């Protein structure tokens, strides 16, 4: 199912919608203040996926440090999952990072989140390590994943509209 979605920078006015998605997606969501602080962080890039009606359907964020992009968070509203929105957000993040001079991308993902791991592997991320008990809220391990050729993410998705 194709969905009319645009990807754009997160704004302060998006924070309430982002927090609502975050609360529905994670056992320990970020606070409103955490997102407001990230929007002021010069090393951070945060994007939202906006539906045709102006509703925020998902979001993603990362820090760009020297030549590395570190994905900090990705979530899509439950009613809009498995429609390619998270993939489009990650591709858009990657393109932003490439413009800042970064060439590699990393993230941690809950070891039980098979859908997210599959998406990251489709984008060329490889499992590089594990942090035992990383997620204190559930005790889940984190799988550390890297994509050493971030340009390939942008290239493989060149035909996608953002």
């Amino acid at each position: 199912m194709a969905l009319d979605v645009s990807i754009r920078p997160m704004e302060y006015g998006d924070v309430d919608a982002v927090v609502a998605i975050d609360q529905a997606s994670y056992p320990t969501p970020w606070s409103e203040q955490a997102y407001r602080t990230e929007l002021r962080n010069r090393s951070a890039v945060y994007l939202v996926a906006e539906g045709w009606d102006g509703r925020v359907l998902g979001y993603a964020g990362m820090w760009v440090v020297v030549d590395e992009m570190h994905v900090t968070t990705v979530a899509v509203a439950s009613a809009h999952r498995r429609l390619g929105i998270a993939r489009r957000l990650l591709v858009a993040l990657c393109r932003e990072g490439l413009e800042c001079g970064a060439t590699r991308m990393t993230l941690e993902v809950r070891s039980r989140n098979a859908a997210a791991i599959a998406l990251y592997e489709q984008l060329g991320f490889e499992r590089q390590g594990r942090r035992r008990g990383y997620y204190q809220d559930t005790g889940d391990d984190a799988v550390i994943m890297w994509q050493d050729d971030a340009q390939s993410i942008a290239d493989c998705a060149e035909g996608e509209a953002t």
Side-chain angles (χ1 to χ4, degrees):
M1 172 171 138
L3 193 63
D4 187 11
V5 173
S6 61
I7 307 296
R8 62 169 176 77
M10 185 187 295
E11 301 169 354
Y12 288 104
D14 300 320
V15 171
D16 288 344
V18 166
V19 168
I21 294 169
D22 203 41
Q23 290 173 340
S25 300
Y26 296 110
T28 306
W30 288 15
S31 68
E32 175 184 334
Q33 187 57 45
Y35 283 105
R36 292 188 183 284
T37 299
E38 284 297 275
L39 290 175
R40 291 189 302 269
N41 178 350
R42 289 190 173 161
S43 297
V45 176
Y46 282 79
L47 304 174
V48 295
E50 183 178 67
W52 63 269
D53 58 359
R55 284 186 307 140
V56 173
L57 306 178
Y59 63 90
M62 70 177 176
W63 296 336
V64 179
V65 180
V66 189
D67 67 338
E68 294 178 359
M69 296 171 254
H70 184 110
V71 177
T72 56
T73 189
V74 179
V76 174
S78 59
H80 296 93
R81 290 184 184 151
R82 301 200 182 252
L83 299 174
I85 294 172
R87 184 178 199 278
R88 289 185 54 194
L89 282 162
L90 286 163
V91 168
L93 274 183
C94 184
R95 289 178 179 162
E96 292 283 332
L98 289 167
E99 287 183 21
C100 294
T103 58
R104 306 172 65 209
M105 200 169 201
T106 187
L107 53 82
E108 292 95 8
V109 59
R110 290 176 190 267
S111 59
R112 293 189 228 184
N113 192 342
I117 291 170
L119 169 62
Y120 303 142
E121 288 176 338
Q122 288 170 6
L123 291 171
F125 283 84
E126 295 180 358
R127 299 171 198 223
Q128 297 289 320
R130 188 176 204 89
R131 295 189 201 317
R132 301 253 178 238
Y134 181 77
Y135 295 100
Q136 294 178 354
D137 51 14
T138 60
D140 288 346
D141 293 351
V143 176
I144 303 164
M145 301 185 81
W146 279 91
Q147 172 34 297
D148 288 328
D149 179 16
Q151 182 64 52
S152 69
I153 295 173
D155 291 347
C156 78
E158 197 59 41
E160 294 180 15
T162 58

